Structure formats: structure tokens, C-alpha cells
Amino acid sequence: MSEHVIDDDTIDNIEILAKLSLTDEERLQAKADLSEMLSYIDRLNELDTQGVEPMSHVFKVSNVFREDVVTNGDGSADTLSNAPARKDGMYQVPRTFEE
Amino acid sequence: MEIKDMTAVGLSAGIRSGETSVREALDCVLKSISENEDRIHAYVTLEEPEKLYKEAEIIQKKIDDGSLKGPLSGVPIAVKDNMCLAGMPTTCSSKILENFHSTYTAEAVRRLKDAGVLILGKTNMDEFAMGSTTETSAFGPTRNPRNPDHVPGGSSGGSAAAVAAGECFGALGSDTGGSIREPASFCGVTGLKPTYGTVSRYGLVAYGSSLDQIGPLARDVTDCAAILSVISGHDPKDSTSLERKDTDFLSCLNEGIRGMKIGIPKAYFGAGLDQEVGDAVLKAASEMKSLGAEVSEFDLDYTDYAVPCYYTIADAEASSNLERFDGIKYGYRAKDYEGLHDMYKKTRSQGFGPEVRRRIMLGSFILSSGYYDAYYLKALRVKALIRKAFDKAFSGFDLILGPAAPNTAPLLGTSLSDPLKMYLGDIYTVPANLAGLPGIVLPCGTDAKGLPVGVQLMADCFSENKLLRAAYAYEESQKAAGRKCSGCRE
Amino acid sequence: MPYEQYETVIGLETHVELATKTKLFCGCSTEFGGKPNSHTCPVCTGMPGSLPVLNRQALKYAIAVGLATHCEITRHSKFDRKNYFYPDNPQNYQISQLYLPICRNGWVEISTPSGKKKIGIHEIHMEEDAGKLIHDEWTDSSLVDYNRSGVPLIEIVSEPDMRSGEEVTAYLEKLRLILSYLGASDCKLEEGSMRADVNISVRPAGSSLFGTRCEMKNINSFKAIERCIRGEAERQIERIEEDKKEVVQETRRWDDNKESSKAMRSKEDAKDYRYFPDPDLVPIDVSDELLAEIKEEQPEFQEEKAVRYKEEYGLPDGDIRVLTSDKRLAEIFEETAKLSGLPKKASNWLIVETQQLMKEKNEEPKDLHFSPEHLAVLIKMADENKVSSGAARQIFNAVYENDCDPEAYAKEKGLLIVHDEGALRAAAEKAIDSNPKAAADYRAGKEKAIGALVGFVMKELHGKADPGQAGQLLAGLLKN
Ligand SMILES: [Mg+2]
Ligand SMILES: [Zn+2]
């Protein structure tokens, strides 16, 4: 079983993907945890799964639809009721537009 | 019989016959809560007593005028805090949702309310259902009512403890990898994870969407069956909800265990299993045999691969499911930040606890480019193999019997330091989630320290009736032998 | 190497909003506008615990577009999650299709002055639209409105088969025509219901290798697309020729005011979307029945209509091109032709007078609200000489405006030609009596002299006579 070495670049990338920022101490811990878990997960490679279809859903259910009928009214009050910051009936967030 | 010793179904019958009332039932649980809650901390949010009494009065009226007559009408029940209930906070025991009030009610909870259940409040859990001890809750751990130095199990530890402590007459939990069954085992109550798709997930805050199922934690098998009957059934709001017609789980209970073929996977009794737990579980098996079941050992393939397969899938899904917690629409937002992405990062780093962050990181990595095939698709293929192994097993057996956990409840503060070791404790419960199977756990004894041991039965998909029949027969035999009902306080 | 020796290679990712009443995964209205966040619910705002359920009509539209663009329909299709953080995306993942898009391997034919050409369709997939971000100047923050969040889109991904802005415009016009014939989309550019990202690369003319491409975003009109393609091709060639540098594969934001683009680079954008099948949605198995149902509902498209118009009505190519350029116009034509029995005349009214009025009023065929019945009546009135051609145009203005009954209108306004034999004879006799010289000239063989007499009759009857009929009558009277 191969030992995973999680380097700083990998952690940097995970921070961007998962939108987390780690302290130096947390970073060390994360490296250790991730390599241990990945090595553990690696044991799945002991199994030959050639020709086995990946199974996302346990049941072969398909075609679950709704009809195209409007069922919802003005939801703005509920939608905004938990907003940490709002203005003019909208969520307020740090600027997204570039200069 | 005193109210505090009644089962949910017994209590409701008593209320409907006029022997007791919804108000007296509420008095009883509130008394128990005031006596125990400081020590146990089963709840995150309790409904205000005035509101509860008002609601009790409304329910009582409907019972009196005959418009409510179901087997749970008037019964006070608790709900795990990852299910939405309009007007109440839904925190998932996380700082990131500390101030979040749901604007709608989860389908399963709505069905309980429609059946005349009195919802007491929201129970503590591992943060976002990630954990096996309820110690990852941002609001402090729940303690095991059987011995407060020990954990109640998790992630539905608050629900299990509330049932065990008499702080409710039943509770809803959710089970992604054993989160109903393991705490049921540790707290000595009865817990059931239904077939995937049997209970709507609408309004259940997702952890691993392909694995999550809501189910009951209760004082006995009958209560489990009654709660499941109420909350199950097709929901058009959940695309993975099944069109099941067979959702009466009560009328089958008396059909007995005689003639049922029960298989015991040899690998479930190997290294890592606590001797006392193994002995208690095998004793339960032999009692089932004496009740007329055919019990034999067999080889269940891929047992050792279920845990790594499970964590790969669950963490990948979780990393995506938890992206929505970003400080924009609800919940916690960091105070000081420079720009959008810094706000995201600070909010999520401060809002999520270490175990949740750990799983998000692993899940994000597993799905990232270059690793998706090697880890995620590989795990989905192994899942297919595991499912096949169960198909093979159920072609020869009605039920599979084993432990719910390798040990009894550990001491508080001893589990989180070694996550991998904690994950390995899920070995007996995650297979049912991967394969979509129903599983029930009920008490079968105690260890030398007096901590409960649970026995788990698994059945093929849609075969909850078989599980319940066998569990009921075993439970009846235990009661006949003078042991108290599983959830009732000693 | 001079610029002319380069060839521009262009592929498009066209996002089209489908014309469903509700969003892709919830029962919220897709109506444009409305109070911010009023068309929202737990599902389309990513509330904890909410779950998506697929809109059947959105699927049908997507398949219909696929069939119309000669795609293979993926019989077993799925939705995947595309994970990225941005405030317009409430779940921070977009539900889209990566691994098994609903349609693949199609084509559409375009015509440009240089001829006809097939443009390949790589795939068509379904996905949800994002919310809208508005910059708030006062607080220097952004505001989010989720009314558009979850509106169904299809993304039509072309092959890199186009070589000029002209071809791109023809391709988009073709898509727009197909989509509007299907009723699958309103294709309103101003409301953003059709928008395209453009992939551009350059290579030495004649080369079969592809250059490094750039993805151009924020292009808001057909005109801007042509400018953007020219600008970006020049930038790339300049970089290669003058800076002696390679083109960098990147996403660039087009600024149509400045006619230049800027790389969208941020170290926070990892460009790693971690796609995986959405566990909240079940697969789609397109059954034979569903496919048959959709095929049954496919309209007759432009090409087929054009062939039929030629055969059935014998119309000139120019007429056919205009009439079939819009499904609504074609429908009005067919109905009018049927009711009047005069297809060429119906065509004339629709491609001359109607087009002119539309232009004046700045309207499109979808704004036309007169009924084919009334137009047919008017055409027959003119054909039967019940009104003069000038009066007919006057009546048509009223029909176009208010869909009024042309007969009632003509009567009310006194525009009907007098076919009353007595009145006509009286006027003719009066004309002869009052114009003895003209009468005499005619009798003497000066046939032209009858013109003055006809003019008198017309004047006498306030222009409501049929000049031909008056001439005949006069000639008869003068013979005696
Ligand atoms: Mg897209
Ligand atoms: Zn919605």
C-alpha cells in the first residue's frame, strides 16, 4: 500500500476548493489526517472492480418528474428571513465586481 | 402503570381511552427533562412550555372529538436537530447554523405532527451528523443516561439519550452510517434505519445524500413500528423517495420468528470485537434460535471494505452538500474579512468544527481532478460489490444478525483524538447504508460495567416487516423473562 | 506573417433559457422581472434540507431541441453537480450535466453569402441558471437576487466549426429560428434568455491543427459577438506575430465599450469543478413513448415549410424566405392563404404592408395580433374590386392596429366601391351631358377622351366607383 504524502500545494488547493483556511497547526494536522485516511481508503484497490458499474443509486429508479405548474407564491420574506446582511430585498455580500 | 413507564403506543392508547391526558404526558416528560437535562444535555432546543401546553390542549381536543385517533396521537416526541421545523432553530449542532430558523418543516416531522404527535424540541447530535459520540456538537456533548461518564453514541446521541432518560416517548434520528443504530445500542433503546427511500429526506439537512435515512429511536419495537408507519411513504418532493405501499409496520408484529433463517457473518465476530459484546449478541442469537429461528454462520464478502468505501462516498457527498454554508444566505458570517473569498474562508473555518472540516477536506480532495476516478468511482464500484454480497446473503437468509458496534459506549473524551479508530467502529452499521438495507438495533444485555449492548438485525430492502417481527418476538421473550422494556428507565 | 494568413477558429457555448412556466427543480415562476427574491423557495435558494425534482417540460424541450438539431438523444442521462463558490449560485454547486448530457453529436446548417455549411453540435445539456448580482455603489457591496436562480437552461455546445463572425451570427440566427419554431425559448437577448460564450483560437490558414483557445465571456448582443471575435483574433495574432509569445488558454471578459478583453484570473478560482452525479436526482431513461410523444409534437421547420410553399403555393423564393423566417408569420400566412384562396396575395400583404408597418412600429412578428380571418376578408374585398387599392391599404392599417372587421370598417368609413348600376348609369349620363366635347371626341374615334368622362364619374361618386366598370358603361352609352 502506498503511503500518501500530502504536500503544502495540495493543502493550498484544498483550501481554495473547500473555502477553508488553516492555521499552521491545523495544516500539519490536516496533512497527517489526510495521508492516513487516503492510505486507508487505498485498500479498496485490493479489489478487482473491472467491469463493475459504479453504483450511485441503490435502486434502479428513474424518471421522477414534476409537472410544469407554478406552485409557489412570493417567497421573498421567508427567503431573506435568515440573511446575515440584506439590502433592498436582496442579500448583501462583499463586492463581486472587478474594478 | 405510571406514565413514565409507558411506551408511546401504550401512552397514546391511555390518552385515547381517557385514562390519562396529553397534558399529563407532557407533565411527565417535562418533569423528567427538568430532573435530567442538566446532566444529560439531550436537547439543543426545547419548545417553550407554554407553547407545548397550548399545543397539548389542541391535540387533546382533536383526540376528544375523534379527529385524531392514530397510535401516536398525543405522544410527546423529540426530533434530531438536523430536521427542519418551521419556527424553530435547526442548528445541526453547528456554530455555522447557530442562528438559523427553518422556514419550512421536514416531511417526516410534518407527518408526525399530522398524526397528533407533540414535538418537544430538537435533540443534540454530532455536528452535521458527523461522528459516533455526539462529542462533535458545537454546543457540548450529550451524556449517556445509563452512565453519564460515557458517551451516548452518535450522531443521533441526543435522540437516543432523550429516549433512554425518559425525556421523551420516542425520537427521530437520522442514520447515514449507523447514526441511529449505534446510539441505540449505547443507550439501550431500540432504533431502526429503514430501507433507503422509505422516509422522505425533504427537510433533512443532507450529510451523505445517497446514504441518509430518517428513522425512529424508541422505547420498544412496537413504538419503532408505530413511528415508522407514520413517517414513511412516498413524497413527491424527494426524487429518491420510493413508492411503497406496505407502510403498515404494526400489524405484522405478532407473526413471529419461527422458521426465519438468520445468518451470522463470521467476519463480524473477528478481531476488534469486544468479547462481552460478542457474547451478548451471540446469546441473543441463540435465544432467537430457541424461539424457532434457524440460525447459522456464513461468509459475508467484502466486510473489511465497507468502512473505507463508506467514508469515500459520504465525505465526497458531504463536501458538496455543505458548500451552501457560506455566510451569505443564513447562519454564521465571520465578522472581519477582506473581500468575498476571505469571507467564505473565515466563515467556514470559524463556523465548522474540526471533524466537519476534516471530512469536507477529504471529500473535496476525493472529488478533485485526478482523484475522482481513483477514489470516488472506485468506491461506487465497491459499493456495487457490497450490494451484490448482500443479494447473495439474502437469497439464503431472511435476516443477518450481528453487533451494532464493536464495543459498549466509550468514556467521554476518549474517541476524537484518533479519527480513523473512531471510523472503524462503524464496521457493522455502514454496510446497511451502502446497500440501502433496513436495520434494527435493540438491547440484548449489558457489559460488566452495566453499559447496554445492542444486537443488530438487517434485512433485505423493503423487508422491515421481517426485522420487526423477529425483533418483537425476541423482545417479548425478554419481557417474559422479567427484563424491562428497552427504553424504560431502570 | 500578415493577419490575412491566419484563420480564426470559433466554437460557441450557447445558453438558452427554456420557456417553461416553472424553474428546473421547483415550482417557482420563471416570469422575468418581479420584486427581488419574490420567485424563490427553499429549493432555488439552497436552503438546508431542500431537494430538487425535475421539471418534465424542461426535459421535453431539451430533447425537442436535440431532435431539431439532428442530435442523438442520450437514452440514459443523469445530472451532475458542478461545484464552485459564487454568490449567484446559492448551493455553491450548479446542477448540470457533464458525463451523460441529454443530446450529443448533432448539426445545423447555416447559409452565408459564401454558401451553405454544416456546424456540428457537440452536445446539449440541461442546467440551472444562476441568480443575479447587482453592484451597490453606495456600500460598495454586491446584492443578490435569486429570481433567476434555477430557471432551466440548455447549453448548446458547438464544434469549433465556425471561421468568422458572419458564420457565428448565421449560426445563432439559425438556433434562434429553431428554438422559436419549437416554442422552446423566447430567445430574448435583452432579457438574457439567449447568451453565448465564444471560444476563439487562431492558426495559419490551411493548417489542420488547432491553436490555443480563449473563452470569451460577457458578450451581450449579436453585434458584440462579431466585434469580440475580430478583437480577440487580432489580439492573439498580435501576440504570436509581434510579441513572439504563445497564446495562453484562459477565460477573458469582453468589454464591448472598450472593444477589448481582460483575462479573468483569480487565485481563488481553482477551475476544478469536482463534478459528480447528483445523488438527490435519479437518472432519466428516455423511453420510446416519450421520444415518440416529442417527435409527434415537433413542428414543421423552416426548410420543410420552404419546400412545401414552393410546391403548394408556387411562391417566389424571396417571399418564402420572409414568410418562413418566423413561425408566427408563417402561421398567419398559411391560415390567410387557406381562408382567402389567394396565397400570392396573402404573401404580398404579409411581406410588403405588414413588414412596413412592423418596421414603423418597431414590432416583431410575435407582436402581430390581427386575425388571418380579417386579412383574408380584406384580400377578397380588394380582389373583388369592392375597395380600391388605396382604400384597401387604409383598411389594412386599421386591421393591423385593432384587428377590426374590414367590411364593417369600410362601410363605416364609406370606402366601398359603388356597384349600384342605377347610380353609376346616372353619373355616366350626367358625365356625357356635362362634357359634350369629350363625348363628341370619343365618338369621333379619340378613345383617350373617355378618360375625362371616367374621371367625372369617379368624382361624382366620390371615388367609390370602379373605373373599369365606369369606362365600360360610358363606352356602351356613347355607342348608341
Ligand atoms: Mg454550463
Ligand atoms: Zn424555487
Side-chain angles (χ1 to χ4, degrees), chain C residues 120-246:
Chain C
I121 303 288
H122 180 73
E123 68 170 62
I124 301 175
H125 62 255
M126 295 179 274
E127 61 186 29
E128 12 172 36
D129 203 351
K132 197 168 73 179
L133 288 168
I134 296 154
H135 185 229
D136 185 50
E137 308 256 349
W138 296 103
T139 55
D140 194 28
S141 59
S142 295
L143 304 176
V144 196
D145 171 10
Y146 287 127
N147 278 352
R148 303 315 291 159
S149 167
V151 167
L153 299 179
I154 47 172
E155 181 174 332
I156 306 172
V157 182
S158 84
E159 298 292 352
D161 286 348
M162 285 159 276
R163 298 290 174 265
S164 66
E166 198 173 52
E167 288 187 358
V168 169
T169 306
Y171 167 77
L172 286 171
E173 287 293 355
K174 183 72 184 206
L175 288 186
R176 184 146 81 159
L177 195 65
I178 291 170
L179 290 159
S180 67
Y181 260 78
L182 284 167
S185 174
D186 298 335
C187 298
K188 286 182 197 152
L189 286 169
E190 68 277 13
E191 291 178 9
S193 63
M194 188 175 184
R195 46 190 194 260
D197 297 335
V198 185
N199 288 300
I200 302 173
S201 63
V202 296
R203 65 184 178 192
S207 167
S208 58
L209 298 169
F210 287 111
T212 305
R213 69 190 154 90
C214 289
E215 186 180 354
M216 310 299 288
K217 287 191 182 281
N218 191 43
I219 313 171
N220 300 317
S221 70
F222 279 25
K223 285 219 173 71
I225 287 182
E226 298 215 21
R227 282 192 289 270
C228 168
I229 289 167
R230 210 176 317 116
E232 175 60 12
E234 278 172 17
R235 187 192 69 84
Q236 291 185 13
I237 296 166
E238 225 170 75
R239 194 176 161 88
I240 298 166
E241 285 292 310
E242 278 155 40
D243 305 344
K244 306 288 174 203
K245 281 184 187 156
E246 309 226 313

Side-chain angles (χ1 to χ4, degrees), chain B residues 104 201-204 209 236-237 239 320-321 323-324 326 329-330 341 344-345 348 364 367-369 372 376, chain C residues 45-53 81 83 85-87 90-93 99 268 272 274-277 280 282:
Chain B
Y104 70 100
R201 294 186 295 116
Y202 193 80
L204 169 69
S209 312
K237 297 187 296 304
S239 302
S320 176
N321 284 330
E323 280 165 351
R324 68 189 62 204
D326 61 0
K329 304 159 299 281
Y330 38 73
H341 292 282
Y344 281 147
K345 287 181 161 181
R348 289 166 60 81
S364 300
L367 291 177
S368 70
S369 121
Y372 174 78
Y376 189 69
Chain C
T45 55
M47 287 290 164
S50 64
L51 293 170
V53 184
R81 292 187 185 173
N83 299 281
F85 281 79
Y86 209 61
Q91 307 168 106
N92 289 317
Y93 58 81
Y99 297 109
E268 283 300 332
D272 182 348
R274 288 157 291 140
Y275 281 98
F276 75 106
D280 288 333
V282 298

Side-chain angles (χ1 to χ4, degrees), chain B residues 155-459:
Chain B
S155 65
S156 311
S159 288
V163 173
E167 294 188 51
C168 62
F169 283 88
L172 293 189
S174 68
D175 191 316
T176 308
S179 284
I180 289 174
R181 291 161 290 156
E182 188 240 29
S185 177
F186 285 4
C187 290
V189 301
T190 305
L192 189 156
K193 176 203 111 58
T195 304
Y196 183 80
T198 298
V199 180
S200 169
R201 294 186 295 116
Y202 193 80
L204 169 69
V205 182
Y207 160 22
S209 312
S210 70
L211 307 159
D212 296 340
Q213 264 298 284
I214 293 172
L217 289 120
R219 294 186 173 195
D220 70 359
V221 174
T222 308
D223 284 0
C224 269
I227 295 173
L228 184 61
S229 299
V230 168
I231 62 175
S232 60
H234 181 245
D235 176 14
K237 297 187 296 304
D238 174 0
S239 302
T240 61
S241 162
L242 298 169
E243 309 244 12
R244 281 187 78 167
K245 303 272 180 288
D246 58 330
T247 52
D248 167 14
F249 298 105
L250 276 169
S251 52
C252 65
L253 292 179
N254 272 317
E255 288 169 25
I257 194 171
R258 185 161 298 278
M260 277 195 185
K261 293 195 184 104
I262 299 178
I264 300 178
K266 285 181 206 150
Y268 282 13
F269 291 83
L273 179 66
D274 181 279
Q275 178 79 41
E276 288 183 88
V277 171
D279 290 350
V281 169
L282 288 175
K283 187 158 162 274
S286 71
E287 283 180 41
M288 289 183 204
K289 194 172 176 184
S290 70
L291 292 170
E294 294 171 30
V295 181
S296 55
E297 291 189 329
F298 76 107
D299 288 312
L300 179 63
D301 294 338
Y302 308 119
T303 301
D304 286 342
Y305 299 95
V307 172
C309 176
Y310 168 81
Y311 276 94
T312 305
I313 295 168
D315 288 6
E317 290 181 4
S319 73
S320 176
N321 284 330
L322 270 60
E323 280 165 351
R324 68 189 62 204
F325 304 103
D326 61 0
I328 288 182
K329 304 159 299 281
Y330 38 73
Y332 176 76
R333 181 189 286 191
K335 297 291 164 284
D336 301 301
Y337 46 82
E338 280 165 52
L340 178 68
H341 292 282
D342 192 43
M343 187 280 279
Y344 281 147
K345 287 181 161 181
K346 290 208 168 100
T347 294
R348 289 166 60 81
S349 298
Q350 294 163 15
F352 290 133
E355 182 59 28
V356 173
R357 289 201 304 265
R358 189 175 3 248
R359 295 193 194 193
I360 288 175
M361 286 191 280
L362 182 63
S364 300
F365 180 80
I366 283 167
L367 291 177
S368 70
S369 121
Y371 299 97
Y372 174 78
D373 284 22
Y375 290 116
Y376 189 69
L377 284 187
K378 180 77 188 182
L380 291 186
R381 290 194 168 94
V382 174
K383 178 185 172 185
L385 294 179
I386 289 170
R387 168 75 225 188
K388 243 178 150 171
F390 278 105
D391 283 342
K392 197 175 108 191
F394 288 118
S395 68
F397 297 106
D398 296 298
L399 299 171
I400 292 173
L401 180 146
N407 42 262
T408 55
L411 282 166
L412 272 158
T414 58
S415 303
L416 298 185
S417 57
D418 189 347
L420 184 54
K421 192 178 160 220
M422 184 172 78
Y423 301 161
L424 289 171
D426 299 339
I427 179 168
Y428 306 119
T429 46
V430 295
N433 301 83
L434 288 168
L437 313 172
I440 193 168
V441 167
L442 66 164
C444 67
T446 51
D447 68 3
K449 287 174 273 181
L451 291 166
V453 177
V455 57
Q456 174 177 219
L457 293 169
M458 284 182 276

Side-chain angles (χ1 to χ4, degrees), chain C residues 355-382:
Chain C
Q355 298 292 326
Q356 198 181 322
L357 286 172
M358 279 190 336
K359 212 171 182 181
E360 278 169 24
K361 296 174 198 293
N362 205 5
E363 288 181 335
E364 292 176 49
K366 69 169 170 51
D367 304 315
L368 297 176
H369 60 272
F370 61 82
S371 57
E373 288 78 10
H374 286 160
L375 177 56
V377 167
L378 176 62
I379 289 170
K380 275 201 284 200
M381 283 167 70

Side-chain angles (χ1 to χ4, degrees), chain A residues 72, chain C residues 23 26-28 39-45 149:
Chain A
N72 303 335
Chain C
K23 294 186 177 181
C26 64
C28 289
H39 301 160
T40 60
C41 73
V43 176
C44 57
T45 55
S149 167

